[in-house]
């Protein structure tokens, strides 16, 4: 991540809910400085996913290691008349000195499993709550939605077209990164291309075509001005006529030693239209020209189009990806599970969670495929044929080792995803992946038993 906090500048420390600071002041006033452990996990909700993808760790660590209160921020806090001089003096020297244990970015996980545990003096761990939830929630949400698209596309190309309807600039950037992390091929987001090294893709808008007197002039002009990346939008007027017009331009490009890259259909019955367009292109000996489909697509429409064997090569996924339309939020929470060596849990109905510092063990079968997860106590022995998923990322406020770059995370996810059986990936009526609680952790919840 380049330039942490660049969108917020020196005010990044104020990217925080007020109650984190009022609680922190109270902790300080009452001498509460013992270590606390907070656990980050996702509760099941009415709309569910059969699996989730952990994303956002690299950016979060950058923010945490750079986190501090500048003088301008402290002056603002003082002006609110909510904080005393003792607390403001404490914030002046604030830095994170604790430990973060987390899953690797790109790891598949399931409900109620801790994906991260933060252990630090309670003020430090509390102050980071808002930042952690905000950065991990959105990226995990989008990565999971995008992974479902990757599964549905069955190795067909995917491009992120979500920028224009994302909920702000930052969300658009994170959507591009998160979707590429799980297997999307390209993005239309030029800034994301520069920032993250994601390959770019783009076509043309209907406005370009309609600005010319006729369609063929628009196509010819665009091909002349973009000879190495000519993608023609053929549904401004009539898709069949547009496809035939595109073949004329495609043959003209061949005569110049160039190639028409693709045509895009953005509306209509994609099942029938893609077949007609493929026939027209092939009949003109333009078999190499790809068909791109876009317009209100997500994993459900992609799956249906693939199931019907439509000759579509690339899917452009926009709004429904960028806002995760069918599931716009996760019930992600950051809960205190241990303070001053005392295990803690909430017991109110519907909001229960597991107390104590934890570890997640992934049990593999004989072929090294995912077989079962066990939520256990943080220092219990790993069960046979299992790997612990929570690794120390930050220790005593310092990064343990350099975090992997986006390409490495992408490869890790691809490998991880391949070990999850397809019955757990189904878009509807997927099997429930087995997640159990270890006996040792169960005893910790009921110490009198």
């Amino acid at each position: 991540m380049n330039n942490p906090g660049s969108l917020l500048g020196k005010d990044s420390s104020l990217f925080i809910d007020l109650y984190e600071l009022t609680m922190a002041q109270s902790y300080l006033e009452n001498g509460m400085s013992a270590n606390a452990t907070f656990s980050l996990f996702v509760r099941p909700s009415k709309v569910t996913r059969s699996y989730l993808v952990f994303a956002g760790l690299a950016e979060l660590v950058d923010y945490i290691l750079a986190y501090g209160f500048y003088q301008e921020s402290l002056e603002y806090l003082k002006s609110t008349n909510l904080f005393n001089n003792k607390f403001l003096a404490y914030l002046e020297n604030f830095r994170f000195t604790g430990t973060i244990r987390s899953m690797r970015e790109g790891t598949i996980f399931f409900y109620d499993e801790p994906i991260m545990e933060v252990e630090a003096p309670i003020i430090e761990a509390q102050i980071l709550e808002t930042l952690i939830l905000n950065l991990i929630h959105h990226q995990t949400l989008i990565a999971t939605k995008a992974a479902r698209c990757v599964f549905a596309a069955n190795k067909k190309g995917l491009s992120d077209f979500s920028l224009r309807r994302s909920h702000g600039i930052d969300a658009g950037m994170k959507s591009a990164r998160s979707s590429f992390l799980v297997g999307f091929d390209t993005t239309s987001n030029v800034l994301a291309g520069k920032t993250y090294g994601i390959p770019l893709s783009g076509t043309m808008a209907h406005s370009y075509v309609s600005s010319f007197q006729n369609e063929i002039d628009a196509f010819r002009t665009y091909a002349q001005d973009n000879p190495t990346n000519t993608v023609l939008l053929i549904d401004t007027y009539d898709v069949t006529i547009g496809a035939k017009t595109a073949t004329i331009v495609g043959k003209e490009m061949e005569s110049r030693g160039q190639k028409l890259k693709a045509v895009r259909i953005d509306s209509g019955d994609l099942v029938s239209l893609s077949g007609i367009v493929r026939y027209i292109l092939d009949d003109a000996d333009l078999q190499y020209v790809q068909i791109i489909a876009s317009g209100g697509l997500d994993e459900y429409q992609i799956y249906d189009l693939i199931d019907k064997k439509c000759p579509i090569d690339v899917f452009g996924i926009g709004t429904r990806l960028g806002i995760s339309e069918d599931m716009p939020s996760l019930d992600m929470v950051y809960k205190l599970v241990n303070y001053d060596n005392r295990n803690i849990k909430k017991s109110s109905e519907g909001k229960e969670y597991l107390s104590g510092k934890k570890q997640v063990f992934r049990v593999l079968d004989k072929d090294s495929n995912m077989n079962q997860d066990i939520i256990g106590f943080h220092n219990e022995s790993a069960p046979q044929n299992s790997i612990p998923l929570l690794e120390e990322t930050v220790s005593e406020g310092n990064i343990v080792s350099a975090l992997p770059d986006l390409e490495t995370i992408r490869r890790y996810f691809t490998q991880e995803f391949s070990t999850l059986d397809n019955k757990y990936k189904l878009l509807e009526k997927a099997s429930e992946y087995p997640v159990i609680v270890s006996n040792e952790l169960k005893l910790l919840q009921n110490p009198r038993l």
Side-chain angles (χ1 to χ4, degrees):
M1 174 70 184
N2 295 321
N3 192 16
S6 59
L7 291 177
L8 299 172
K10 290 186 176 182
D11 286 333
S12 59
S13 61
L14 299 184
F15 187 72
I16 188 172
D17 288 307
L18 177 62
Y19 77 171
E20 314 291 8
L21 293 172
T22 55
M23 286 188 289
Q25 179 170 250
S26 185
Y27 291 145
L28 186 66
E29 283 297 309
N30 290 278
M32 297 174 67
S33 58
N35 268 14
T37 300
F38 284 79
S39 186
L40 182 71
F41 60 95
V42 180
R43 293 190 181 113
S45 54
K46 290 181 180 179
V47 180
T48 61
R49 298 285 193 238
S50 55
Y51 61 88
L52 300 161
V53 181
F54 178 44
L57 176 64
E59 182 181 32
L60 175 63
V61 170
D62 276 346
Y63 267 90
I64 288 176
L65 297 184
Y67 196 91
F69 290 81
Y70 286 89
Q71 193 60 40
E72 295 92 328
S73 299
L74 293 172
E75 289 173 2
Y76 169 73
L77 292 178
K78 184 175 183 179
S79 74
T80 66
N81 295 318
L82 294 172
F83 305 103
N84 59 41
N85 290 334
K86 178 182 176 182
F87 182 61
L88 293 173
Y90 169 84
L91 292 182
E92 189 171 4
N93 298 304
F94 181 91
R95 66 175 294 269
F96 182 72
T97 64
T99 296
I100 297 174
R101 295 181 302 115
S102 79
M103 293 184 180
R104 290 180 63 180
E105 189 165 10
T107 297
I108 294 165
F109 71 98
F110 304 92
Y111 293 104
D112 294 322
E113 293 183 342
I115 54 178
M116 175 184 295
E117 291 202 330
V118 178
E119 184 174 358
I122 192 167
I123 299 179
E124 295 178 22
Q126 188 76 69
I127 279 177
L128 294 178
E129 177 180 12
T130 304
L131 185 69
I132 290 171
L133 283 168
N134 182 276
L135 293 180
I136 300 299
H137 171 267
H138 178 74
Q139 294 179 78
T140 295
L141 181 74
I142 301 303
T144 303
K145 177 75 171 176
R148 288 163 58 85
C149 292
V150 170
F151 173 72
N154 194 25
K155 300 182 180 179
K156 296 284 188 177
L158 289 165
S159 185
D160 159 45
F161 285 1
S162 67
L163 180 58
R164 62 184 54 202
R165 293 197 181 100
S166 292
H167 294 165
I169 294 172
D170 196 40
M173 294 292 288
K174 289 181 173 64
S175 292
R177 183 184 184 277
S178 298
S179 58
F180 184 72
L181 185 157
V182 299
F184 271 49
D185 302 287
T186 58
T187 181
S188 65
N189 183 338
V190 178
L191 182 58
K194 176 181 181 294
T195 303
Y196 304 122
I198 303 172
L200 296 175
S201 64
T203 59
M204 56 168 61
H206 295 104
S207 58
Y208 183 87
V209 178
S210 59
S211 69
F212 288 78
Q213 286 290 338
N214 51 66
E215 192 171 52
I216 194 166
D217 288 343
F219 288 0
R220 280 173 171 157
T221 303
Y222 193 83
Q224 289 167 0
D225 294 338
N226 300 275
T228 62
N229 186 38
T230 306
V231 181
L232 303 176
L233 181 61
I234 61 174
D235 74 328
T236 303
Y237 306 112
D238 180 274
V239 172
T240 300
I241 295 173
K244 291 177 179 178
T245 304
T247 63
I248 296 171
V249 174
K251 301 307 285 187
E252 292 172 352
M253 292 183 71
E254 281 187 342
S255 71
R256 301 193 295 267
Q258 301 165 351
K259 283 188 175 182
L260 173 61
K261 183 176 181 180
V263 296
R264 178 164 72 101
I265 312 169
D266 192 51
S267 59
D269 181 358
L270 294 176
V271 176
S272 61
L273 290 175
S274 61
I276 293 169
V277 171
R278 186 74 269 164
Y279 175 82
I280 292 171
L281 292 170
D282 291 351
D283 190 54
D285 289 329
L286 295 173
Q287 291 87 353
Y288 57 83
V289 177
Q290 291 189 322
I291 297 175
I292 301 173
S294 59
L297 301 181
D298 66 3
E299 67 266 42
Y300 302 104
Q301 289 78 27
I302 294 171
Y303 185 87
D304 183 60
L305 292 166
I306 294 291
D307 187 57
K308 291 175 179 174
K309 296 181 170 53
C310 296
I312 297 169
D313 302 290
V314 178
F315 297 95
I317 316 300
T319 302
R320 293 183 180 182
L321 168 69
I323 64 171
S324 187
E325 188 175 73
D326 63 318
M327 188 179 186
S329 68
L330 299 169
D331 192 5
M332 182 176 285
V333 293
Y334 180 81
K335 294 298 181 182
L336 180 66
V337 295
N338 183 279
Y339 176 63
D340 199 11
N341 294 317
R342 176 172 58 90
N343 292 320
I344 293 169
K345 67 176 180 179
K346 189 175 181 179
S347 57
S348 53
E349 186 176 352
K351 296 294 183 74
E352 305 92 343
Y353 60 84
L354 296 167
S355 70
K357 294 183 279 188
K358 291 174 284 294
Q359 178 58 270
V360 180
F361 301 100
R362 179 147 294 163
V363 182
L364 306 176
D365 66 16
K366 60 182 178 60
D367 298 315
S368 297
N369 292 321
M370 292 170 58
N371 188 51
Q372 180 188 59
D373 281 8
I374 301 172
I375 306 175
F377 190 53
H378 79 109
N379 61 359
E380 70 177 270
S381 299
Q384 189 175 8
N385 299 323
S386 73
I387 54 173
L389 297 184
L390 297 180
E391 304 172 344
E392 200 167 275
T393 305
V394 174
S395 177
E396 297 181 353
N398 298 300
I399 193 165
V400 173
S401 59
L403 293 175
D405 60 21
L406 185 55
E407 280 287 355
T408 303
I409 298 168
R410 176 182 166 93
R411 289 194 296 271
Y412 169 73
F413 168 78
T414 300
Q415 172 59 32
E416 173 98 338
F417 203 44
S418 71
T419 68
L420 180 66
D421 194 286
N422 281 352
K423 67 183 180 182
Y424 302 120
K425 300 176 186 175
L426 297 177
L427 304 184
E428 297 180 24
K429 298 181 180 179
S431 298
E432 184 176 351
Y433 182 84
V435 177
I436 65 171
V437 177
S438 73
N439 289 330
E440 188 168 342
L441 189 59
K442 284 180 181 177
L443 289 173
L444 188 68
Q445 311 308 305
N446 301 283
R448 296 180 182 177
L449 296 181

